[in-house]
Amino acid sequence: MSDRRIEELTELTAADAAAVTDLIQAAAAADGQPAISEQGRLRLRPGSREGVRHVLLFAPGAAGDAGGRGELAGYGQIDGTDPVEAPAAEFVVHPGHRLRGHGRALGRELLAATGKRLRVWAHGGHPAARHLAVRLGLELFRELRQLRRPLDAGLTGLSEPRLPEGVTVRTFVPGQDEQAWLALNAAAFAHHPEQGSMTLRDLLDREGEPWFDPAGFFLAERGGALVGFHWTKVHQPQGLGEVYVVGVAPAEQGGGLGGALTAIGLRHLARDRGLRTAMLYVDADNVPAVTVYERLGFTTHETDLMYRTET
């Protein structure tokens, strides 16, 4: 399709951000989940992120014509903020513009923009995404599982949380706990750059989201110092409660704090928020974590796949 137009930008205008958001929502309605992650969607907002690039694909058409560029048919995002790993990317084609080669064109553009050193997410692992990955010469190397378990007021199958001696739990206080939490998060996830590299801006962006609720953000302390946390999230339209992230200071790991914090958060989601299903994400190769969650009654609901250029 020779009249296809692709633009690469370091920052989106408000109009382009709105158009991309609409595209992501249309695709999510068709596919069952967003093709662009929460982090990627937050990065559509004004204010450039160093190392983040936006790739917009326009197709000919009058309806929704974006300033003479055509209709927005596809969107990709490149995250090059990790100083060690290859850039990570996500991309999506509008349901009304699929089966026309736009996905392959976007994928090739992302590869060209990163010197063919790239990691690509396929959320939900749909067959079409698997097929496109093969066509682009990518290999599967990571599986991120979404686990779910039912909740009820009696929290069937969950024992009472038992905190290690000397540890107390309270909830997050916006404007007070940000820096201490960021330091703990970086230490707890030093092995996991996607989570451990979260910045103050990333945290404040999430605090500004409608779903943010400090009453569901639990902090564990020992002697006044933070040693663990469980941040929960409610997906209101779906009626889902998420174990958004659980972190424990390295010195406290292995003592049962993570399990106790997980149970505290699940009780909050069931009893305080009245939710009937809990979900979480965990890497398939993180066998200890998968084992813990399966013991808590979680089972695999779906899998996100990450591909990379062949090594």
Side-chain angles (χ1 to χ4, degrees):
M1 193 169 184
S2 58
D3 44 5
R4 180 190 294 125
R5 176 189 177 99
I6 297 178
E7 298 180 6
E8 183 180 324
L9 308 170
T10 56
E11 185 171 353
L12 297 177
T13 65
D16 280 344
V20 170
T21 299
D22 289 345
L23 187 158
I24 293 170
Q25 291 175 344
D31 300 334
Q33 71 175 141
I36 306 298
S37 64
E38 176 189 63
Q39 177 82 316
R41 298 194 300 274
L42 288 171
R43 285 173 170 166
L44 300 177
R45 294 176 173 179
S48 60
R49 264 66 160 187
E50 186 176 353
V52 175
R53 288 173 280 173
H54 308 273
V55 179
L56 282 66
L57 184 149
F58 297 92
D65 186 272
R69 295 182 289 179
E71 295 181 26
L72 182 64
Y75 169 74
Q77 185 178 118
I78 302 170
D79 181 353
T81 57
D82 191 311
V84 177
E85 296 285 353
E90 303 169 292
F91 64 103
V92 60
V93 174
H94 191 285
H97 288 275
R98 292 176 178 173
L99 302 177
R100 304 178 191 179
H102 296 321
R104 197 184 313 172
L106 261 178
R108 287 174 173 169
E109 183 70 19
L110 297 172
L111 286 167
T114 56
K116 295 187 177 181
R117 183 173 177 265
L118 188 66
R119 298 171 296 147
V120 182
W121 277 111
H123 299 290
H126 297 289
R130 295 171 185 259
H131 175 72
L132 181 56
V134 172
R135 298 295 297 270
L136 292 172
L138 303 173
E139 63 177 10
L140 176 66
F141 84 106
R142 182 180 174 191
E143 296 185 19
L144 184 67
R145 294 182 185 175
Q146 184 193 130
L147 309 184
R148 293 190 182 186
R149 66 151 286 162
L151 296 174
D152 55 57
L155 292 162
T156 302
L158 284 178
S159 59
E160 289 293 324
R162 299 180 62 181
L163 291 168
E165 186 176 354
V167 173
T168 59
V169 172
R170 64 176 176 85
T171 53
F172 183 89
V173 180
Q176 170 187 298
D177 290 322
E178 283 82 359
Q179 293 298 342
W181 180 83
L182 286 167
L184 172 58
N185 181 68
F189 292 97
H191 62 290
H192 195 307
E194 288 177 343
Q195 177 64 32
S197 62
M198 185 174 284
T199 66
L200 179 60
R201 176 167 184 170
D202 294 329
L203 177 55
L204 293 178
D205 279 347
R206 284 160 176 76
E207 288 185 36
E209 287 290 287
W211 60 262
F212 178 76
D213 178 13
F217 194 163
F218 300 95
L219 304 180
E221 292 183 318
R222 182 187 293 279
L226 295 187
V227 293
F229 64 91
H230 180 182
W231 188 353
T232 67
K233 177 180 180 180
V234 175
H235 300 261
Q236 203 61 257
Q238 300 92 346
L240 291 171
E242 181 177 351
V243 179
Y244 189 50
V245 58
V246 176
V248 176
E252 297 282 345
Q253 292 174 7
L257 179 55
L261 284 167
T262 300
I264 288 170
L266 290 174
R267 277 168 166 69
H268 165 75
L269 294 171
R271 295 176 178 173
D272 300 336
R273 300 305 303 267
L275 300 170
R276 292 294 172 261
T277 304
M279 60 170 285
L280 58 85
Y281 290 94
V282 63
D283 277 292
D285 63 359
N286 188 346
V287 177
V290 171
T291 300
V292 167
Y293 291 131
E294 288 180 343
R295 286 174 180 167
L296 290 171
F298 284 90
T299 59
T300 300
H301 177 72
E302 64 184 22
T303 303
D304 292 345
L305 305 176
M306 182 175 251
Y307 295 85
R308 65 184 175 188
T309 46
E310 295 181 2
T311 55

